[in-house]
Amino acid sequence: MLQTSGLSVSYGGVAALRDVDLDVGEGRLVGLIGPNGAGKTTFIDALTGFAAYRGAVTLDGRDLRGMTPHERFRLGLARTWQTTELFDDLTVGENIAVARHRLSLPNAVKEIITGSSGSGMVDGVLDLLGLRWARDAMPGDLSEGQRKLVGVARAVASQPRLLCLDEPAAGLDTHESTQLGERLRALADAGTSMLLVDHDMGLVLGVCDWLFVLEFGELIASGAPAEIRRDPRVVRAYLGLE
Ligand code: ATP
């Protein structure tokens, strides 16, 4: 469904990604791991149009060359960020209703005002992430872990073809991270394709179908979590440092 070939990104002559060939299949939960500075966020930035790259990114066979982040989002490439920005003066449910419109804010506001804000969809997304109870809560009253889940819910509400998650477990405690993992697995099982970047190895090894490992901007391994866990290059480059 999503493929990169020869994907390379340089910042001021320094290579952040070199010739990365990676693919994510339909309905798969794919992890991208590697040490600090390996290029994981840069990879998401390139896919979603926030970093200039050489090589190709294709979504459903379509080359995204030259497309802006907005155009890529409309084609179904959604992302979350390392810090979750929510609309603090809207309820959790309204935050999610807004996202449904893929950046068409006037329509979203109109629906919220008239009370026809696709409540079935909002409740469906909230249920998937175990957040139904928080529908009418204000984001400021939630814990960091709960806010992260709302950020994921908001991205899911845009019904992406591929959802890229940048360190969703950062700042979460073990219990919250376990819950997040269960929710991500449920989302994948419901058909959402995801690319998960995170340093929480318990989470990544536990929930992903497939892993890619970056080191110094290059892919050094890929495989099922059980293989990656015992790959000597990965243990040396990354897992051994845990
Ligand atoms: P972390 O796990 O610490 O978030 P990462 O694997 O996501 O790291 P990136 O943030 O993608 O790594 O960074 C890859 C390399 O590119 C690093 O050497 C980083 O310093 C560099 N880099 C990233 N963004 C920029 C930028 N905007 N300008 C210059 N260099 C950058």
Side-chain angles (χ1 to χ4, degrees):
M1 182 194 66
L2 177 111
Q3 276 190 315
T4 69
S5 63
L7 191 72
S8 303
V9 174
S10 298
Y11 290 113
V14 179
L17 283 179
R18 282 177 245 227
D19 276 334
V20 175
D21 297 338
L22 180 154
D23 62 283
V24 181
E26 184 93 48
R28 304 272 273 169
L29 174 42
V30 170
L32 180 62
I33 60 173
N36 287 324
K40 305 179 297 296
T41 296
T42 300
F43 185 81
I44 292 181
D45 288 345
L47 292 190
T48 52
F50 290 91
Y53 57 83
R54 296 186 309 284
V57 176
T58 58
L59 182 66
D60 298 319
R62 179 170 182 179
D63 191 334
L64 305 186
R65 180 174 310 279
M67 290 190 193
T68 63
H70 188 176
E71 288 164 337
R72 288 165 196 247
F73 181 63
R74 294 188 86 85
L75 287 178
L77 270 183
R79 72 177 295 176
T80 64
W81 302 82
Q82 286 184 14
T83 51
T84 306
E85 301 291 341
L86 300 173
F87 297 110
D88 280 326
D89 47 355
L90 298 182
T91 66
V92 165
E94 288 166 348
N95 264 277
I96 290 165
V98 164
R100 193 165 81 94
H101 293 272
R102 296 199 178 185
L103 305 186
S104 167
L105 203 55
N107 280 343
V109 170
K110 201 185 321 162
E111 287 197 9
I112 290 167
I113 291 168
T114 60
S116 59
S117 58
S119 57
M121 183 283 299
V122 170
D123 287 345
V125 172
L126 288 171
D127 280 345
L128 270 175
L129 289 156
L131 284 170
R132 183 70 167 267
W133 61 272
R135 190 181 206 283
D136 298 320
M138 302 308 285
D141 295 331
L142 303 182
S143 72
E144 181 57 21
Q146 290 160 348
R147 288 172 61 88
K148 289 251 175 175
L149 274 179
V150 175
V152 174
R154 195 175 51 179
V156 169
S158 71
Q159 297 182 292
R161 290 286 291 136
L162 177 70
L163 173 54
C164 301
L165 300 163
D166 198 356
E167 300 201 22
L172 304 196
D173 63 29
T174 311
H175 174 67
E176 288 178 323
S177 170
T178 304
Q179 274 200 326
L180 173 71
E182 286 167 8
R183 298 303 173 188
L184 295 183
R185 195 57 253 172
L187 275 179
D189 293 342
T192 303
S193 312
M194 280 173 280
L195 179 71
L196 170 63
V197 165
D198 213 280
H199 284 288
D200 182 334
M201 283 303 105
L203 170 69
V204 175
L205 291 167
V207 302
C208 289
D209 300 306
W210 194 261
L211 295 180
F212 290 93
V213 186
L214 276 176
E215 185 187 25
F216 298 123
E218 289 183 56
L219 270 188
I220 59 164
S222 66
E227 295 167 52
I228 292 297
R229 197 192 284 272
R230 48 172 196 268
D231 184 314
R233 287 166 305 172
V234 180
V235 171
R236 193 177 56 241
Y238 190 42
L239 298 176
L241 302 176
E242 285 291 288

